[in-house]
Amino acid sequence: MADTENFPSHLPQPTSHLPQPTRHGMPSPQKQLTEMSASATNSRTTMPPPTANGHKRQGSNLPESATKRPTLSDRAGQPLKSAPAAPKSNAPVSAAVSSTLHTRYPSSISSRSNSIFSRSTSSASSTSSSFSASVGSRLQPPTSMNYGRPKAALAKDRGRAIDSRPATSMGTRGGGIQDGPNNKRMAPSAPMNKLSSAPRRNDIATAHKMNSRIAQTVARTSGVLKEAQCISSTASISAQMSALTLSPPRERRHASPSKSPPLPPHPVTPSSFTPAPFPSYNSSSPRKNKARQFLTKSSNLETWDPEEQYGNMERMYQDVCKHYKDAMEESNEAKQASSTYKDTIASLEEDRKLTTEAMIELRCELQTTKYRLEAAERSAQDIKREFEQEIDDLKRDHRIEMENVRQSQRKDIDQAKADHRDELRELRNRYEDELESERSQRLQAVSQVSGQVALDKQRHQLDLELKDQQIRSINMEIERLLADVEREKTLNADLRQTLSAAGTNASHMEAARQALQAKIDYLESDNKSQSEAYADMERKMNQAIERATECEEKLRKEEMLRRKLHNQVQELKGNIRVFCRVRPSGSDASEEMAQISFPETDDDPKDIEVRGQEEANSLGKDTTKIHPFSFDRVFDPSCSNAEIFEEISQLIQSALDGYNVCIFAYGQTGAGKTYTMSSDDGMIPQALRQIYSTSKELATRGWTYQMEGSFVEVYNEELRDLLGKDGESEKSGKKHEIRHDMVNLDTTITDVNTLSLDSQEQVEGILAQAMSRRSVAATKANERSSRSHSVFILRLKGQNSITGKKCKGTLNLVDLAGSERLSHSKAEGARLKETQAINKSLSCLGDVIGALGQQQSGFNPRDSVNGSSAGSGGHIPYRNSKLTHLLQLSLGGNSKTLMFVMVAPEKKCLSETITSLKFADKVSRTRIGVARKTTTGR
Ligand SMILES: Nc1ncnc2c1ncn2[C@@H]1O[C@H](COP(=O)(O)OP(=O)(O)OP(=O)(O)O)[C@@H](O)[C@H]1O
């Protein structure tokens, strides 16, 4: 087995058909004999015979004879002409046995031969030949490299080769060598198993206990021993084989394996081994000259040629003998090595025993030391515990002692502190008493002095305060009078005279005041004369007050006169007045401007001229038309909101006087309507500021005002409350309705929040809220274009506590949405709808104004409610849009109405500008009714 491993790996391993050697080298002789006998009888039918040239024939590869050959059955009927010669005394191998050996185990024999003898360099060539003869030319014998090893190396290699497998595995392998010729499993040889495995186990156990060097040595020794045993066993088997060949063939052929007695082992020693001479064969066999014979008539298998077979057998026998001899020599050497290793093992065993004893002693010592150490540790623990207890006791004692000392010290300190406190208290009491008595003495003295001073001072102070108050009131009165005078001066000449008189009066009073002041000074310096001066001053004061009252009365009368005159002037001017304002150019410098001029350069410009687009006349010449317009007032781009407000402040005053006032801004989108009406200094905030300041002034003349405001927008022909909570009207789903009270000439909107405006700050907050809620959107002309008409309605209710007069006015401030041409704006979707609604309502406004113009005479506002005029009977289409419906009373003649027409200066807006101006011109030419005051009382 080991030798098969030496074959080159690229070659197929030779398969053995011989009974495989067990670990002892060969199967038991008894079994071998049995099998050999059986095979001798069966071999002719089961195995093909070797060929004549000595090569192995294999199965169907055997060449078939072309000629007809006699079969065995044929030959059975024939008399045996030349039987093989009877074996001689040394019993040569019979032809049957020989052929059986070659047919059944050719490769096995050869292989085995190789395994046993391949290490002999001298027999390399013969091995090779026998190998090729037995296994065929396809397989090469082991190379000569394996042969020339030194003996020691050989022994070592073998030892390693065998010893590298564990003992049990060896046993298994030995037992499992396997399939014999008839696929019979070969049982391992039990004694040999015992022999080999037992020492091996011992060796391995020893090797594990001892060091690795000892283990290696033992392993090597064991390997050598096994090799030697193997060789000796092989030798015995060979001897048996030799003995087997000596037995008479006829007897063996018929002898039953079970009945035949076991053959005694052949006493072969390597040194005394002499191979028996191979039996000679009768070469004059008649078969030699005979024609070729066949197994059966129909078979083309030739019958065996015994002569040729015999020759082969003889050669093989020679080879086997030679190899056997070599093996014997190797075996001897191995035995010698074995005895040497045995000695070494014995001495090592001795060493191991000594070492084990020493180890046991040391272990005992270690154990003892451990016990001692543990005892020492225990005692150390006890001592430590004792010490710890002692330390704890000491600590406790120390703590108690410390506590005692601390307590005694604390007591001492407390005692010392108490003493010290008492001492301090005593001292403090003593000093405080002394201090108190001293202080009281001094205070008495001081209070006597200061009482006197304070009394004097108080008296003077009171006098002074009284006089200051009088002076203040006189001053206030003078200021008020001066303010009144100042205001009246600007109204009319009579008032100026009165005011100058008041001024003179005031100067007298001032002189009197100065005199009084001098007297006060004098009085201050001289207490005695003070009372006289005071009485004089009081008298003069009363005179002044009387005169002031007279002046006030006079002023009131003048005020009434002024109002009357103012309203007369307003009526003369007409109830709808039109102001025109041109916006400055925008930030885009590249924008081309329209040619707009203002011919009048005085303080009160009323005219404006706009140069129209260039047009070709009938002669083909380019001409431009100039459009002149005239309004109540024209404001050029340089005018500020403050300047414009000055012009309308009289109208705001009219609202306080009990008139309905309506101011609205009209113009194309982006022309400046929202800027004029609702910016921080726009008309709406300024109007409110004026109303507050004037109402305060009028309060001095007995007027008190109640103000209520609401803010709505007309968006897409629907009213929206800008002062309501977010989404309130959408949630409630209520629609606001416009109602006109024609008795009181009052307009109300249902479900609209009306807030009482108590302070100017509140009003401005409300305005900001309303402005933020307005519907705005970016359009082509304006980034924040108003998409609705916004209307701020301020109701003013005044009452004069002196005269008992009552008045009720309404101020409507309207910021209209911008007119816009759809073709220009190219609005879509929501924007388109908005633009359509805006344009429609503005066109309705134009219609209403037009209708009002036609019925100038005989206006009755009550008729206007029904959309008709008593004078002309013409229909006024107020209800055609929410905007005109809402402004019905403002437009219908009952109110003072001011329209701002806003103009954009850009050329691109020119046509729209001209349209707006034409509309404004139409409005300014309209004369509608007479505004009436809603006052009651005297
Ligand atoms: N007198 C002015 N001085 C300076 N800037 C102005 C003046 N008038 C208008 N503007 C500016 O022009 C722009 C358009 O003005 P505004 O929004 O008042 O136009 P509008 O007529 O109200 O437009 P819409 O009808 O689309 O609401 C704004 O940026 C505004 O500040």
Side-chain angles (χ1 to χ4, degrees), residues 81-95:
K81 287 177 186 171
S82 71
K88 292 182 181 173
S89 60
N90 54 359
V93 178
S94 71

Side-chain angles (χ1 to χ4, degrees), residues 755-767:
L755 303 178
S756 165
L757 307 174
D758 299 324
S759 68
Q760 194 171 323
E761 291 75 35
Q762 188 196 4
V763 173
E764 283 179 8
I766 286 165
L767 286 179

Side-chain angles (χ1 to χ4, degrees), residues 147-201:
Y147 298 152
R149 285 185 188 165
K151 299 293 177 190
L154 174 72
K156 191 179 174 184
D157 282 353
R158 284 185 176 188
R160 191 170 57 227
I162 294 165
D163 205 44
S164 63
R165 299 183 189 106
T168 48
S169 115
M170 283 293 286
T172 312
R173 287 183 75 169
I177 299 179
Q178 322 342 18
D179 299 340
N182 293 326
N183 281 340
K184 251 176 148 181
R185 218 165 167 77
M186 301 296 287
S189 171
M192 280 312 286
N193 262 347
K194 275 176 197 166
L195 270 172
S196 62
S197 63
R200 185 171 164 71
R201 270 197 297 275

Side-chain angles (χ1 to χ4, degrees), residues 581 583-584 668-675 782 784-786 817-818:
R581 185 181 192 186
R583 169 171 68 73
Q668 72 177 104
T669 181
K673 296 183 293 293
T674 309
Y675 180 85
N782 189 0
R784 269 184 69 84
S785 176
S786 311

Side-chain angles (χ1 to χ4, degrees), residues 365-376:
E365 246 176 67
L366 188 74
Q367 204 63 33
T368 323
T369 316
K370 253 189 212 166
Y371 287 141
R372 275 190 206 141
L373 201 69
E374 279 171 13

Side-chain angles (χ1 to χ4, degrees), residues 9 28 31 41 57 68 196 270 349 367 374 387 407 461 468 635 637 654 722 811 817 853-854 894 900 913:
S9 60
S28 69
K31 187 160 185 165
T41 50
R57 284 190 179 191
K68 177 74 183 152
S196 62
E349 273 296 319
Q367 204 63 33
E374 279 171 13
F387 273 127
Q407 274 179 1
Q461 195 71 32
D468 271 351
F635 299 99
S654 296
L722 294 176
L811 178 63
Q854 284 174 5
N894 179 47
F900 277 104
T913 300

